[in-house]
Amino acid sequence: MLTRKAFLARLGLVAGLLVLAGGAGATTTPDRAAAILVYPKIVVDSELGIDTIVQISNEAAQPADLHCFYVNANSHCTTTGLPCRTGSECGPFGACVPGWSELDFSVRLTADQPLYWLASQGRNRGCAQSGDCEPLPLGGGFGVCSGAPIQCTSDSFCQAFSAGTCLNVGAGNAGTSVPPVPEDPFIGELKCILVNPDGTPRAANWVAGQATIVRDASDPDVNVDAQSYAAIGIRAYFQCEGGDNHGMACSSAAQCPDGNCVSPQNGDDILVLGGPDSQREYESCPSVLIANHLFDGAPEPINGQPVVTDLTLVPCSQDFLLGSANQGFSTAQFLVFNEFEQRFSTSLPVRCFEETLLSNIDTRNNERSIFSVNVAGTVAGQSRIRGVGSGLLGVARLQLAGFPPQNPTLPWQGPGAGYNLHEEGQRNDAGQEDIVALP
């Protein structure tokens, strides 16, 4: 008998196999430490038992400060102001109007420290004292024994427990104040930027992260599920200064034998991603996103149940200074190939945040979509997504669902497997650079 655990493992394997193929050459990465972390999808819905575990780690041997932003992508009813998904939730005289707002906060990590929080609870001194969230692991006066997770003040203390030496005495998480997401239900994005203690951007590639969207098992009629994806890292850009290699990209001083490997960051609050070498401060967002997927309605390979794919896209450019949605606007152009290499195309406007089933991109009638298995003509295919305007980042989720889905506005139904999209190329030409404006 196939257990639920084995089924989810196989479904995850299918998702993994789908993303093995793809292009190369992009500089954003889910695999290496970076200076900016993008979590494209954060979800909280207590009514449905959904929450998101956010993980972040410092891979440097010194403290790291982060300035983070939740982007609230909820729509709201014009009559009540409450979050909504469709106009039917707003009564006969209301409308469900999209809107975007940000909530910023600070995180301080000690050397080599991992940290996590639940998006519904946050993590700060206040909620820890009231018992509403996990306490912060380190105060300002203690270190941690190298051989065991024991707080310490001296090497002799650790040696008394045969736990090595006392590391990071005096280091702590003071200044960390992670709030809960501003609404429940909530859907949106999280972006964290490495900064200096004074709040100015820091040119260093130190942090990595992961998000896991979980569905609670407290209701026996609710499917238990967990979707994980790696936070997308945007690395600080460095180039050789002086010598024969002047102006060439570098990652260490060894690549600049007669010069220095330096960051061109100017220290202001306008972060330049990509573009010409003379302007960029961070590596470029990808030119193309690649999603290898089963077409919606295709049978999964274990027992033939239909699957659908939920796609989330966010822009690389964002204006946290003025809160303008115009800077984070893009048109996602799709080239869709089936297994016979027949090509379809469509487009989708993306303003600040977009989540959709593939078969709702081009029509509300899922069965008539170019992403429907019956229209595409093959079980699997590839979608190449190019952002016109802002660059784009994204994640996807393969999941079991009826087809057509009973309620496409609630995509978190049925077990599934999340995965990162492949990335190809760089937006390095003049006029293609992305901008993140900090407050």
Side-chain angles (χ1 to χ4, degrees):
M1 178 178 177
L2 182 65
T3 65
R4 181 179 184 81
K5 182 177 180 181
F7 163 74
L8 289 175
R10 292 192 190 180
L11 189 58
L13 177 61
V14 170
L17 291 173
L18 285 173
V19 299
L20 287 178
T27 48
T28 53
T29 173
D31 303 321
R32 295 187 294 165
I36 299 175
L37 294 181
V38 181
Y39 300 79
K41 188 171 199 173
I42 304 292
V43 184
V44 172
D45 193 324
S46 57
E47 184 177 341
L48 297 177
I50 298 171
D51 208 339
T52 303
I53 303 168
V54 178
Q55 298 166 265
I56 191 167
S57 61
N58 177 18
E59 299 188 7
Q62 56 185 296
D65 292 281
L66 295 152
H67 193 178
C68 297
F69 301 84
Y70 277 128
V71 178
N72 185 353
N74 279 345
S75 297
H76 295 86
C77 290
T78 54
T79 48
T80 64
L82 296 176
C84 57
R85 299 180 182 91
T86 66
S88 62
E89 300 176 40
C90 302
F93 305 107
C96 188
V97 178
W100 300 271
S101 60
E102 60 87 6
L103 174 66
D104 65 317
F105 56 93
S106 297
V107 175
R108 181 174 176 82
L109 301 173
T110 60
D112 300 309
Q113 184 190 23
L115 187 70
Y116 81 93
W117 64 85
L118 281 170
S120 65
Q121 297 178 1
R123 200 161 185 183
N124 54 71
R125 303 283 180 205
C127 70
Q129 291 173 357
S130 66
D132 294 331
C133 71
E134 294 277 348
L136 291 167
L138 292 176
F142 296 92
V144 176
C145 293
S146 61
I150 303 172
Q151 287 189 341
C152 57
T153 56
S154 65
D155 289 344
S156 60
F157 181 90
C158 294
Q159 290 164 3
F161 292 92
S162 300
T165 58
C166 189
L167 305 176
N168 300 321
V169 176
N173 301 117
T176 297
S177 184
V178 181
V181 292
E183 294 184 303
D184 183 358
F186 172 91
I187 189 166
E189 173 199 3
L190 172 64
K191 184 176 263 114
C192 288
I193 298 159
L194 190 67
V195 296
N196 293 302
D198 63 0
T200 57
R202 184 164 202 160
N205 296 312
W206 289 353
V207 290
Q210 181 171 304
T212 304
I213 302 172
V214 294
R215 193 163 189 180
D216 196 355
S218 58
D219 184 344
D221 296 324
V222 171
N223 290 317
V224 182
D225 193 27
Q227 169 205 333
S228 289
Y229 66 84
I232 302 167
I234 302 174
R235 292 173 60 84
Y237 176 71
F238 292 87
Q239 62 185 15
C240 294
E241 184 179 63
D244 294 338
N245 294 337
H246 180 77
M248 291 182 59
C250 59
S251 57
S252 68
Q255 296 173 311
C256 310
D258 48 1
N260 298 312
C261 185
V262 300
S263 166
Q265 279 193 14
N266 59 15
D268 65 15
D269 294 329
I270 305 299
L271 314 184
V272 181
L273 284 54
D277 292 349
S278 60
Q279 299 177 10
R280 88 175 83 162
E281 299 173 325
Y282 294 83
E283 297 286 8
S284 169
C285 282
S287 177
V288 177
L289 299 175
I290 301 173
N292 298 291
H293 54 81
L294 298 177
F295 285 109
D296 284 6
E300 53 86 13
I302 298 174
N303 58 16
Q305 284 186 261
V307 297
V308 295
T309 296
D310 176 57
L311 176 68
T312 299
L313 297 173
V314 296
C316 291
S317 291
Q318 283 173 315
D319 187 350
F320 295 121
L321 176 61
L322 300 178
S324 169
N326 293 327
Q327 187 162 297
F329 179 77
S330 183
T331 298
Q333 295 182 338
F334 290 78
L335 285 179
V336 185
F337 298 87
N338 66 13
E339 294 177 72
F340 300 124
E341 298 188 11
Q342 294 171 314
R343 186 174 70 176
F344 308 85
S345 63
T346 188
S347 63
L348 176 71
V350 178
R351 178 162 284 171
C352 287
F353 180 93
E354 182 65 37
E355 182 207 28
T356 178
L357 296 181
L358 289 182
S359 55
N360 284 140
I361 289 174
D362 56 330
T363 175
R364 295 295 95 182
N365 185 339
N366 304 81
E367 293 177 296
R368 299 183 63 181
S369 169
I370 62 173
F371 296 94
S372 164
V373 64
N374 293 326
V375 174
T378 62
V379 170
Q382 182 183 90
S383 293
R384 298 176 61 85
I385 309 164
R386 185 184 300 274
V388 178
S390 170
L392 292 171
L393 299 170
V395 293
R397 181 179 192 258
L398 177 72
Q399 62 185 35
L400 286 178
F403 189 79
Q406 293 182 346
N407 189 348
T409 64
L410 290 176
W412 295 99
Q413 298 173 320
Y419 58 95
N420 289 76
L421 304 182
H422 265 273
E423 301 170 347
E424 183 178 76
Q426 304 174 31
R427 293 164 51 87
N428 285 343
D429 294 336
Q432 290 188 327
E433 61 271 9
D434 288 292
I435 300 295
V436 177
L438 302 181

